[in-house]
Amino acid sequence: MTTETKIPFDQQYVRSFSSGRGEPDWLLQLRLQALAKAEELPLPKPDKTKIDNWNFTQFANHVVESAPFASLDELPEAVKALIEAGEGTKNLYVQRDHTPAYLSLSEELKAKGVIFTDIFTAAREHGDLLQKYLLKDGVKFDEHRLTALHAALFNGGVFVYVPKGVEVDVPLQAVYIQESDDIALFNHVIVVAEDNSRIAYVENYISAKGVSKAVVNIVAEVFANTNARVFFAAVDNLAKGVTTYVNRRGIAGRDGRIEWALGLMNDGDTVSENITRLIGDGSFGDTKTVVVGRGEQVQNFTTSVVHYGKHTEGYILKHGVVRDSATSIFNGIGKIEHGASKSNAQQESRVLMLSEKARGDANPILLIDEDDVMAGHAASVGRVDPTQLYYLMSRGIPRREAERLIIHGFLAPVVEAIPIESVKKQLIEVIERKVQS
Amino acid sequence: MAVLTIKDLHVSVEGKEILKGVNLEVKGGEIHAIMGPNGTGKSTLSSAIMGHPKYEVTRGSITLDGQNVLEMEVDERARAGLFLAMQYPSEISGVTNADFLRAAINARLGEGNEISLMKFIRKLDEKMEFLEMNPDMAHRYLNEGFSGGEKKRNEILQLMMLEPKIAILDEIDSGLDIDALKIVSKGINEMRSSEFGCLIITHYQRLLNYITPDYVHVMMQGRIVKSGGPELAQRLEAEGYDWIKKELGIEDETVEQEA
């Protein structure tokens, strides 16, 4: 089988799309440059998963127009379930396919200079700031075909900016709903925490229908500048039939901290890449990822922490459950560059297989170019431990319930880290559904 | 009153016969101690009663109040009223002690009869205080990072929360210092009633200084070779096992030695 790889959108289309959104010229030029590269650059090569035949480029609609939600009452039930009533509605962004459909930011945060807006408004109103961060020091547009395509065609997303010294105590939440079939969502998220600031951002990707057909290409760039702290949680829950490429990247400055809690629950084929670059001395990166694979889906999860600064600390924890005939590949990479002395790179990858046909692979990699460091890894692929099962059953707990407890316990590191109760509850429900049904 | 009856029990592990005809009856209100050197089949007996998948019963029967235990799954045995305090309790990450205990209690009570949260917390607080456990341990993950003594205390906590008809305590005293041993014994003594039968497996007599058994059995070569009252345990403490071996003409007491 050969897959059509010709990009179905041309320069003229990109020009009119960009001007239609009132984008500054630098952004149009970036898009055009990227479009030119998109056809010549190769696809990324996630280790141990062949994606040549996956459809990342063919889709009928680049933009569908949807009506905004006039009030929170109009939100679909699945979205309402994700939002905490009261406080949780004060700093919220909801996007329907490509349309910014609801936005709120509290007066208090506005007064402190916090920006929380859709990416197009950001381009129009905060162009200089956006230009400083968009596809520059985080993800480069010409890394491979999918980043180039993303840069040329990104059609959704948010911009979060926290000024120097501002500590935001409540999490900002974004919900992206994939509603229509045959669309491509190229979502771009930027979170910037300036020096000595603090922010927590939580995003949910959901499909309105149980089975759909769509291409999703997400890039998130996270910046924790000097002594800033970013907590980034995501629950991806896109339907079967949606092919996803998601690239979440963090850049930590001196003493900056980036913590990720990623619940990757897509039902379609997914390539997920999460890289944290610890540039500044004393910076810290912590990635917690949990995944469930089911049906026949193929997923590849690469998590990497790259140490450049001295005294940097990087932790990777990945726990995955694979059932049916799903395939999940876990690549964990701790990389310590020359000069990053006194750094510490640790990782743990564990895969639990629930069926004979499931395939799981945990590949821990340490790449170390400096002598005076600490590093360690642990990896395992196996079944539910029969001794644990026996122990729980010996207290009267039926086998199914005992398995459920063990699996939930196994996925708890991310569930427990999520700062919004409703999102936590929904993640538990999704896990329940995916593991049990 | 509950009765656990074991008749002519033969058990193999990976094709090797370990138990070679055990007969024993434990009734509500009774405390039995099974003693014997290492490698004589004591722990095999406890695992076989609870239904550990590695242990295969090749002959004989186990019944609880006339019900055939050997036909039950592990969880059914527990719900029927059996409990095994394990020598090496499992650690289960991500599941708190409290959530686990509530799931276990509710599994016994059945759907629609679940224990109320308030009632559960009250009972848990009370039992933990009795066992001098740090209240934090309710919210820690099940046995994860617990010291040996904490694990044993946690087994007794489960015993007190679940209130089984018959409990088997497999070397509950191993690895305990004297203070922990006293607390564990206090918990077991607290359970004593006409409704509760207990089978204590140990190779040290010292636990029996704190819990006086009604019956003492000695196990060698995969069988109970001698039974008596508490005085038997005292004689074993004073004289060791050699006199029994001599009396019965046993050279090697372990099951490795084919009879």
Side-chain angles (χ1 to χ4, degrees):
Chain A
M1 188 182 106
T2 54
T3 304
E4 183 59 57
T5 55
K6 194 168 159 42
I7 313 298
F9 296 89
D10 60 11
Q11 272 208 20
Q12 198 188 340
Y13 176 84
V14 169
R15 281 180 192 279
S16 92
F17 172 75
S18 179
S19 73
R21 277 170 173 61
E23 291 181 355
D25 187 58
W26 64 263
L27 184 48
L28 171 64
Q29 297 310 321
L30 174 69
R31 286 186 183 278
L32 292 174
Q33 231 184 323
L35 183 69
K37 285 273 186 188
E39 297 213 12
E40 65 188 54
L41 286 171
L43 283 171
K45 291 192 172 50
D47 206 15
K48 303 203 173 181
T49 303
K50 198 166 149 34
I51 61 169
D52 306 11
N53 290 332
W54 293 23
N55 175 30
F56 292 108
T57 54
Q58 303 304 305
F59 46 88
N61 300 300
H62 176 244
V63 172
V64 292
E65 299 290 341
S66 316
F69 297 112
S71 76
L72 289 169
D73 297 337
E74 289 182 14
L75 293 179
E77 288 306 315
V79 178
K80 280 184 187 160
L82 292 169
I83 296 161
E84 288 284 305
E87 283 300 312
T89 63
K90 289 184 181 164
N91 303 292
L92 174 67
Y93 173 74
V94 182
Q95 181 176 304
R96 301 178 75 169
D97 288 331
H98 313 103
T99 304
Y102 187 86
L103 174 69
S104 63
L105 176 65
S106 72
E107 290 305 324
E108 188 197 341
L109 293 184
K110 273 184 207 162
K112 287 179 174 168
V114 173
I115 299 169
F116 181 39
T117 188
D118 70 86
I119 200 89
F120 300 108
T121 303
R124 284 192 301 270
E125 297 180 4
H126 310 282
D128 293 348
L129 211 45
L130 187 71
Q131 188 180 11
K132 200 173 151 193
Y133 292 100
L134 181 78
L135 295 163
K136 243 188 188 141
D137 297 328
V139 175
K140 302 224 183 320
F141 77 85
D142 57 357
E143 290 183 15
H144 47 67
R145 180 175 299 156
L146 298 183
T147 51
L149 198 61
H150 177 94
L153 295 174
F154 74 84
N155 53 12
V158 295
F159 180 60
V160 176
Y161 179 82
V162 187
K164 278 184 185 168
V166 173
E167 299 201 350
V168 180
D169 295 323
V170 290
L172 307 188
Q173 185 176 10
V175 182
Y176 307 98
I177 316 166
Q178 179 257 323
E179 289 187 332
S180 311
D181 286 328
D182 289 314
I183 60 155
L185 173 62
F186 292 92
N187 217 48
H188 200 95
V189 173
I190 295 183
V191 177
V192 178
E194 287 284 22
D195 299 357
N196 303 307
S197 70
R198 183 156 60 101
I199 182 73
Y201 164 83
V202 179
E203 63 180 17
N204 294 89
Y205 285 89
I206 61 170
S207 293
K209 288 182 279 188
V211 181
S212 190
K213 183 169 166 273
V215 175
V216 172
N217 178 325
I218 300 163
V219 173
E221 301 181 275
V222 174
F223 300 87
N225 292 340
T226 299
N227 200 36
R229 185 167 180 175
V230 178
F231 181 86
F232 188 113
V235 178
D236 298 355
N237 189 18
L238 294 164
K240 186 174 174 183
V242 178
T243 304
T244 304
Y245 167 74
V246 49
N247 180 344
R248 294 187 170 101
R249 194 161 303 173
I251 309 291
R254 189 185 169 93
D255 296 320
R257 288 172 73 94
I258 299 177
E259 290 163 84
W260 309 89
L262 309 176
L264 307 179
M265 299 291 141
N266 287 348
D267 273 331
D269 294 347
T270 299
V271 172
S272 168
E273 181 188 301
N274 172 222
I275 299 177
T276 309
R277 297 167 69 198
L278 303 175
I279 306 287
D281 290 352
S283 55
F284 174 96
D286 180 70
T287 297
K288 292 189 172 76
T289 308
V290 295
V291 315
V292 178
R294 67 167 169 179
E296 288 166 1
Q297 71 179 142
V298 176
Q299 300 190 91
N300 183 295
F301 307 95
T302 298
T303 310
S304 175
V305 177
V306 189
H307 302 248
Y308 296 89
K310 295 185 197 335
H311 292 277
T312 53
E313 282 183 71
Y315 299 92
I316 297 172
L317 178 146
K318 295 167 94 173
H319 284 187
V321 173
V322 197
R323 47 173 288 212
D324 305 331
S325 38
T327 299
S328 293
I329 308 291
F330 281 26
N331 300 313
I333 305 162
K335 188 159 193 268
I336 301 183
E337 300 288 352
H338 184 64
S341 54
K342 310 280 184 199
S343 289
N344 184 9
Q346 300 293 334
Q347 60 167 301
E348 182 195 322
S349 291
R350 304 206 181 275
V351 186
L352 206 52
M353 316 271 271
L354 299 187
S355 72
E356 293 294 332
K357 287 185 184 158
R359 191 176 156 225
D361 203 348
N363 310 305
I365 299 162
L366 285 170
L367 302 168
I368 297 175
D369 200 13
E370 173 61 48
D371 295 330
D372 186 13
V373 298
M374 295 215 299
H377 65 76
S380 65
V381 177
R383 304 194 170 277
V384 173
D385 180 352
T387 312
Q388 290 187 336
L389 211 50
Y390 168 65
Y391 186 68
L392 294 181
M393 288 174 72
S394 79
R395 301 314 186 226
I397 299 172
R399 180 180 295 271
R400 230 179 125 79
E401 172 72 3
E403 277 177 349
R404 197 187 68 84
L405 279 172
I406 293 167
I407 291 165
H408 277 257
F410 180 70
L411 299 177
V414 164
V415 175
E416 295 305 320
I418 296 208
I420 298 178
E421 275 309 310
S422 50
V423 176
K424 187 189 280 189
K425 194 165 154 258
Q426 185 254 3
L427 176 56
I428 292 170
E429 280 167 18
V430 172
I431 289 172
E432 189 99 346
R433 208 162 53 233
K434 291 195 74 168
V435 170
Q436 299 276 326
S437 63
Chain B
M1 189 182 63
V3 190
L4 176 70
T5 310
I6 298 164
K7 283 189 181 151
D8 191 33
L9 189 70
H10 290 245
V11 175
S12 294
V13 181
E14 287 156 7
K16 181 172 171 51
E17 187 167 69
I18 307 288
L19 295 189
K20 300 168 182 181
V22 173
N23 292 286
L24 186 66
E25 188 168 82
V26 180
K27 295 194 182 113
E30 295 175 355
I31 292 195
H32 291 245
I34 294 194
M35 304 188 66
N38 273 328
T40 53
K42 303 189 301 296
S43 286
T44 298
L45 176 62
S46 63
S47 296
I49 297 171
M50 204 66 234
H52 190 295
K54 221 175 81 185
Y55 297 80
E56 191 197 350
V57 174
T58 53
R59 203 195 315 169
S61 67
I62 303 176
T63 59
L64 179 64
D65 301 334
Q67 284 178 283
N68 185 351
V69 169
L70 296 178
E71 280 182 358
M72 300 179 195
E73 288 289 333
V74 176
D75 56 313
E76 293 173 313
R77 295 180 194 204
R79 292 197 300 274
L82 292 175
F83 179 90
L84 170 60
M86 301 203 189
Q87 195 178 350
Y88 304 108
S90 285
E91 299 188 1
I92 299 174
S93 187
V95 178
T96 67
N97 222 356
D99 284 347
F100 155 69
L101 275 167
R102 225 171 128 211
I105 289 175
N106 286 335
R108 273 152 206 265
L109 297 174
E111 240 177 286
N113 297 314
E114 286 90 352
I115 189 169
S116 78
L117 185 58
M118 281 313 294
K119 198 174 163 194
F120 171 76
I121 291 171
R122 233 179 5 249
K123 185 169 179 177
L124 182 61
D125 284 348
E126 180 196 316
K127 304 298 180 198
M128 288 183 74
E129 200 183 321
F130 186 85
L131 294 170
E132 299 174 34
M133 291 171 76
N134 186 329
D136 289 354
M137 293 186 73
H139 307 293
R140 280 172 60 187
Y141 292 153
L142 180 52
N143 293 324
E144 195 180 63
F146 285 26
S147 70
E150 284 173 336
K151 281 183 184 164
K152 294 299 169 81
R153 228 181 276 201
N154 206 35
E155 292 292 286
I156 300 302
L157 175 67
Q158 293 170 39
L159 170 71
M160 297 183 82
M161 291 295 288
L162 298 175
E163 302 177 70
K165 294 178 189 164
I166 303 282
I168 304 141
L169 311 178
D170 190 3
E171 304 208 4
I172 196 72
D173 51 340
S174 66
L176 291 186
D177 62 33
I178 197 74
D179 291 332
L181 187 70
K182 281 181 184 167
I183 290 166
V184 161
S185 308
K186 189 172 91 164
I188 297 162
N189 284 324
E190 178 74 7
M191 292 292 295
R192 274 191 120 142
S193 82
S194 61
E195 303 300 309
F196 176 71
C198 189
L199 182 60
I200 297 172
I201 291 173
T202 178
H203 49 245
Y204 303 111
Q205 201 268 338
R206 66 174 190 158
L207 178 66
L208 307 180
N209 291 334
Y210 301 98
I211 307 167
T212 314
D214 302 297
Y215 303 93
V216 175
H217 313 275
V218 176
M219 204 157 175
M220 285 182 182
Q221 295 178 334
R223 288 188 198 89
I224 288 171
V225 294
K226 195 166 187 70
S227 296
E231 74 289 343
L232 177 56
Q234 276 154 22
R235 188 168 174 199
L236 291 172
E237 175 73 0
E239 299 176 34
Y241 290 99
D242 285 350
W243 63 275
I244 297 184
K245 287 162 74 174
K246 198 174 283 174
E247 195 177 291
L248 299 171
I250 293 170
E251 295 257 316
D252 179 351
E253 70 280 11
T254 67
V255 285
E256 300 302 318
Q257 183 65 30
E258 296 300 328

